[in-house]
Amino acid sequence: MIQCTAKPSLASLFVALTLLAGGIGHAHAAGRADATSKPPNILFIVLDDIGIDQFRTFGYGGLTPPAMPNIDRIADAGVHFRNTWSMPACSVSRSVFFTGRFPLRTNLYAALGPDDLANSMLSPWETTLPKLLKERDYESALFGKFHIGLQGNNPFGDRMPASLGWDYFSGWLDETGDPSSIDTTAGGVGPQGTYACGYVPGARDGGADAGACYSGDGSCRVMAGTGPNPPGRACRDSGGIFDPEEVCRQPRPSYIDFNLMSAHYVSPLVINRPHGVVRRLPLTDVRARTYRGSVPVDAAIEWIEQRAGDKPWMATVSFATVHTPLQAPPLHLLAPDARDTNALDCSAVGAFPILSNQMIEALDTEVGRLLLETGIVKRRRRDGALRYNPENTDTMLVIVNDNGSLGYTVKQPFDGARSKGTVYQTGVWTPLIVAGPLVEEPGREVTHMTNIADLYELFGELAGIDVHERVPRTLDSMPMLPYLVDPMQDSIRQWNFTQIGLNLQADGALNGPCQFANSCSHIPVTKGVCEDNGGVWFGQGADGFSDGVPIPSEGFTYCCEVQQWLTEQVPPQDTVDILPQSGVAIRNDTFKLVRNNTKDYDPTTNACVDSESDELYEIDEARPVPKLDTEEAMLDEPFTSVQQANYDALSDQLAVILSSQPPCSGDGNIDGVVDIRDLVAYRALRWLSRGTSSWYDLDLNGLTNSADAATVRQNLGTICSK
């Protein structure tokens, strides 16, 4: 049975939504296109952790590039944007392209975790893309990964997508926003740690070639076989639990557990329908047990096929591929000669490049299916490749990735030590492809700088909306449509910007330290996420060892404290570099300035020290070997006159950006003034949040209470500068 969530009631929710979102989304067709004509449909495909280093179509991919024939075909029929920056982490990038606003404006600085406050989640007062496009009568849906809010500290809970304007949502609202750890019991049939990839492999690899396959609907069938798709894997891929070397029994054995989540194969699927109806599917539902690379495509196809022809639509298909923990995809999504991965240990970082390639290739297969079954592509050519004629469609197609590749999967010559989670090139240089009927001279490249914030403006341009006129707060987006319609368009951006930091937690807390082979980081949001990424958890609840020495269970607050502890062991253990707690980067056409802030470790005094560093690099997008901001490439002082001039100009521009969002205490609804509407909204959110985290938790203690109301009253009449 599909279960409906009960609290808060639908009626009360929509009272709150109407109050909270007042003034947002009124019909107002101000734009650059003819507001009387039907604008194009938009299919927005968001990739996860697949940096530009993986793409042959952009000239990279290293020695073992994943095959992406369908995405390559789209790129060949559209425009490659070869010089696009994302933010360094998934939640941050999604916030930026859904609002057109840099992290310093939304307080969403890093991948969200369960301890982050609503203050670092996307606010219901933001003019998100679905709210913006509603002005031109667009219907908007989001499928797959959400991760711009987490229900633990968000007053709207499972209704977060509806609160941000989506008419329909079908996707995952995981506890951490990303796939859970792999269930190494394979559904309860083995002790913890038995099945590293979440399924029972064949007998050759320590499993079984026959057994009973139980389904969530209560049925069971006996499965047997050998080869690259053993019955345990085939059963798991169909949504079942495989009991090795057993026959079907009724009732099924008590150890068979359909309530165990497992990374990319068993997920908490949530559906938001119009008018506030929310359903969280039980984990026995086959849709909650479908491979994450397929389930958003299934849902998107169904929704798009149901759209009426008189209304434009925007469908965002947001993949979780290739976010850790990595698992091999179903074999039917891979080429017949794909490598047999059944003997791999999915927890071993040495297996990550192989699994990553296969997951990307499976994603490409599903992108092709999405286009075929929605009619955007009519048929395949004789050689099996897509036959894509964008001029014959009414749909603009945009493909972008959220941040750089995970370090273990980075392709040469990119820098795995300065990848996802950092503001260096490998962490933020992302592929962007745009295709569709508005593209003039398809098959070309744009080498001018673009930022994922500009996608917000592009979608506004496609709909005929002037976003800077429409949105009553600071936007960081710049036009993109001119690049599509004019092959000779000059550069619009003169600089580019990216940012990462620490999200807001109650009373200034932060994620615990996670130690990798060569670095320590506060990016992993929980112990499980740390270990899924090949790290050792040194935060609260640590239960691991370092060179045979037990890590104190109370853990440490900072990575620098971990290095102190390592030095104090007998004999002393090796320390590692500490990744910055926050970083920004800005560039022009040829130079890049990186500024990192770190609570660092000083080995000379065995102490934690606050440090800030500025680093200048010369960069380009040459292929196959671009000029990257590696450690060896940092320019030394004294700079040449050209280098100094660029450093000064970039420093000045960075100062302008960082000072462009002055604080405005009490303005919880971000309308630029503290007034009676803030008191009304405070009361609504206090009720909706039950007095816990909300955007009116102004003192950031995890509570929405009378102290916050007092702050609003003290600041009544304040007008905030834009």
Side-chain angles (χ1 to χ4, degrees):
M1 289 286 291
I2 293 175
Q3 301 296 320
C4 294
T5 54
K7 294 182 179 180
S9 71
L10 297 182
S12 62
L13 172 72
F14 272 86
V15 169
L17 277 173
T18 301
L19 179 63
L20 291 174
I24 296 176
H26 290 299
H28 173 81
R32 305 167 188 174
D34 180 2
T36 63
S37 62
K38 178 178 176 290
N41 302 321
I42 301 170
L43 178 57
F44 185 29
I45 298 175
V46 183
L47 312 181
D48 196 353
D49 291 1
I50 310 177
I52 203 168
D53 61 291
Q54 307 285 340
F55 282 78
R56 274 189 303 195
T57 192
F58 283 87
Y60 308 112
L63 298 176
T64 57
M68 292 183 266
N70 294 323
I71 292 176
D72 290 349
R73 180 70 188 97
I74 297 165
D76 290 343
V79 174
H80 301 63
F81 285 86
R82 279 191 46 77
N83 197 356
T84 301
W85 268 11
S86 68
M87 302 298 117
C90 50
S91 300
V92 200
S93 287
R94 285 165 170 75
S95 170
V96 169
F97 58 60
F98 282 135
T99 66
R101 286 156 53 80
F102 288 151
L104 58 98
R105 310 196 193 287
T106 63
N107 291 322
L108 208 173
Y109 292 103
L112 285 168
D115 294 325
D116 295 334
L117 297 174
N119 309 74
S120 277
M121 301 178 194
L122 211 55
S123 165
W125 284 283
E126 291 285 356
T127 310
T128 59
L129 272 176
K131 291 180 180 179
L132 178 77
L133 296 180
K134 186 67 69 178
E135 298 189 357
R136 289 301 311 275
D137 211 23
Y138 273 82
E139 296 178 288
S140 298
L142 173 61
F143 305 94
K145 182 170 178 173
F146 183 66
H147 212 185
I148 45 179
L150 294 179
Q151 62 270 39
N153 279 333
N154 191 300
F156 291 95
D158 284 355
R159 295 181 172 88
M160 291 181 293
S163 76
L164 295 176
W166 276 281
D167 299 306
Y168 186 83
F169 168 76
S170 176
W172 313 294
L173 299 181
D174 308 86
E175 180 185 355
T176 67
D178 286 312
S180 69
S181 298
I182 296 172
D183 169 25
T184 57
T185 73
V189 301
Q192 192 74 34
T194 305
Y195 304 114
C197 292
Y199 68 91
V200 179
R204 179 196 64 182
D205 300 312
D209 291 335
C213 179
Y214 292 91
S215 298
D217 62 5
S219 62
C220 179
R221 66 190 188 280
V222 173
M223 298 181 67
T226 58
N229 200 27
R233 180 172 178 175
C235 177
R236 187 277 308 270
D237 292 357
S238 68
I241 294 176
F242 183 74
D243 198 1
E245 299 179 343
E246 296 288 345
V247 297
C248 292
R249 288 185 279 167
Q250 292 296 339
R252 68 187 180 213
S254 59
Y255 53 80
I256 300 290
D257 191 349
F258 278 89
N259 292 313
L260 297 174
M261 292 189 293
S262 187
H264 291 266
Y265 282 91
V266 185
S267 308
L269 193 64
V270 175
I271 297 174
N272 280 208
R273 297 184 184 278
H275 311 301
V277 178
V278 177
R279 293 188 175 93
R280 177 176 284 266
L281 304 188
L283 294 183
T284 52
D285 191 298
V286 69
R287 290 169 291 179
R289 308 185 71 82
T290 298
Y291 176 60
R292 282 198 184 213
S294 299
V295 68
V297 172
D298 294 340
I301 291 169
E302 180 181 8
W303 185 83
I304 290 171
E305 289 181 337
Q306 294 173 350
R307 295 308 95 207
D310 58 338
K311 275 192 172 187
W313 51 261
M314 176 178 175
T316 300
V317 181
S318 180
F319 288 95
T321 306
V322 293
H323 200 285
T324 52
L326 304 185
Q327 292 175 293
L331 282 178
H332 74 272
L333 298 179
L334 300 174
D337 60 351
R339 174 172 173 170
D340 187 340
T341 58
N342 291 296
L344 288 181
D345 179 353
C346 290
S347 65
V349 296
F352 283 16
I354 301 166
L355 295 172
S356 172
N357 268 20
Q358 288 203 353
M359 294 179 82
I360 293 171
E361 291 170 357
L363 179 147
D364 184 78
T365 299
E366 289 295 66
V367 168
R369 180 169 71 92
L370 173 64
L371 298 179
L372 281 166
E373 295 194 22
T374 55
I376 296 172
V377 173
K378 299 302 182 184
R379 59 189 180 279
R380 293 184 183 272
R381 298 189 313 206
R382 187 172 300 174
D383 62 2
L386 294 182
R387 195 173 191 87
Y388 177 41
N389 297 307
E391 67 276 8
N392 297 330
T393 72
D394 60 356
T395 301
M396 293 298 295
L397 180 57
V398 179
I399 301 176
V400 74
N401 181 63
D402 60 353
N403 48 250
S405 299
L406 179 71
Y408 298 118
T409 68
V410 166
K411 298 290 195 292
Q412 295 296 321
F414 288 77
D415 189 354
R418 293 183 164 193
S419 53
K420 174 185 175 181
T422 75
V423 296
Y424 297 102
Q425 287 294 93
T426 307
V428 302
W429 187 8
T430 195
L432 172 60
I433 299 166
V434 181
L438 297 182
V439 174
E440 294 292 333
E441 296 185 19
R444 57 187 167 89
E445 296 181 340
V446 171
T447 59
H448 303 308
M449 287 182 289
T450 50
N451 190 287
I452 57 167
D454 302 338
L455 290 172
Y456 184 86
E457 188 144 346
L458 172 63
F459 296 143
E461 291 170 318
L462 296 177
I465 300 171
D466 185 333
V467 298
H468 293 276
E469 177 183 311
R470 166 63 186 92
V471 178
R473 55 189 64 91
T474 302
L475 293 180
D476 300 294
S477 62
M478 293 189 179
M480 282 188 69
L481 185 61
Y483 293 127
L484 302 183
V485 300
D486 181 4
M488 304 305 294
Q489 173 65 46
D490 290 334
S491 179
I492 297 172
R493 275 195 175 273
Q494 303 305 310
W495 51 268
N496 217 339
F497 175 80
T498 189
Q499 182 178 30
I500 194 169
L502 299 175
N503 288 332
L504 300 173
Q505 296 185 5
D507 301 318
L510 72 163
N511 299 328
C514 179
Q515 186 107 331
F516 300 98
N518 299 306
S519 64
C520 186
S521 172
H522 290 279
I523 293 175
V525 297
T526 64
K527 179 176 183 289
V529 172
C530 171
E531 293 170 349
D532 287 341
N533 284 274
V536 177
W537 181 250
F538 276 82
Q540 187 174 13
D543 57 8
F545 294 82
S546 178
D547 283 354
V549 180
I551 300 169
S553 61
E554 66 272 18
F556 301 92
T557 301
Y558 296 103
C559 279
C560 60
E561 296 171 342
V562 175
Q563 312 317 305
Q564 289 177 307
W565 181 82
L566 293 173
T567 302
E568 293 164 355
Q569 301 311 300
V570 181
Q573 297 183 23
D574 293 336
T575 60
V576 300
D577 293 333
I578 297 174
L579 295 182
Q581 273 83 59
S582 64
V584 293
I586 188 169
R587 67 163 292 185
N588 54 29
D589 284 333
T590 53
F591 286 89
K592 176 178 180 180
L593 172 63
V594 172
R595 178 170 297 163
N596 286 321
N597 286 274
T598 311
K599 188 170 281 294
D600 215 342
Y601 171 67
D602 182 357
T604 61
T605 60
N606 192 32
C608 291
V609 295
D610 293 325
S611 69
E612 179 175 284
S613 64
D614 275 12
E615 303 165 9
L616 186 66
Y617 300 90
E618 190 174 0
I619 57 174
D620 63 29
E621 296 73 50
R623 54 189 167 202
V625 183
K627 195 177 289 185
L628 297 172
D629 47 2
T630 61
E631 184 176 2
E632 299 77 17
M634 186 171 68
L635 299 173
D636 295 324
E637 297 186 78
F639 298 141
T640 67
S641 59
V642 172
Q643 293 168 353
Q644 186 67 52
N646 279 274
Y647 174 81
D648 292 342
L650 290 172
S651 296
D652 290 345
Q653 183 61 50
L654 183 60
V656 170
I657 297 170
L658 295 179
S659 64
S660 65
Q661 189 66 25
C664 189
S665 185
D667 182 29
N669 63 3
I670 57 175
D671 65 352
V673 61
V674 183
D675 57 16
I676 191 64
R677 288 173 293 188
D678 287 291
L679 285 173
V680 174
Y682 155 77
R683 294 188 188 100
L685 275 182
R686 182 175 181 177
W687 168 79
L688 195 63
S689 68
R690 308 297 193 262
T692 60
S693 177
S694 82
W695 297 272
Y696 276 91
D697 171 18
L698 302 175
D699 53 9
L700 304 180
N701 64 354
L703 302 174
T704 303
N705 56 23
S706 57
D708 303 305
T711 299
V712 174
R713 292 190 182 95
Q714 290 166 7
N715 289 278
L716 286 174
T718 300
I719 298 176
C720 314
S721 59
K722 181 176 177 181

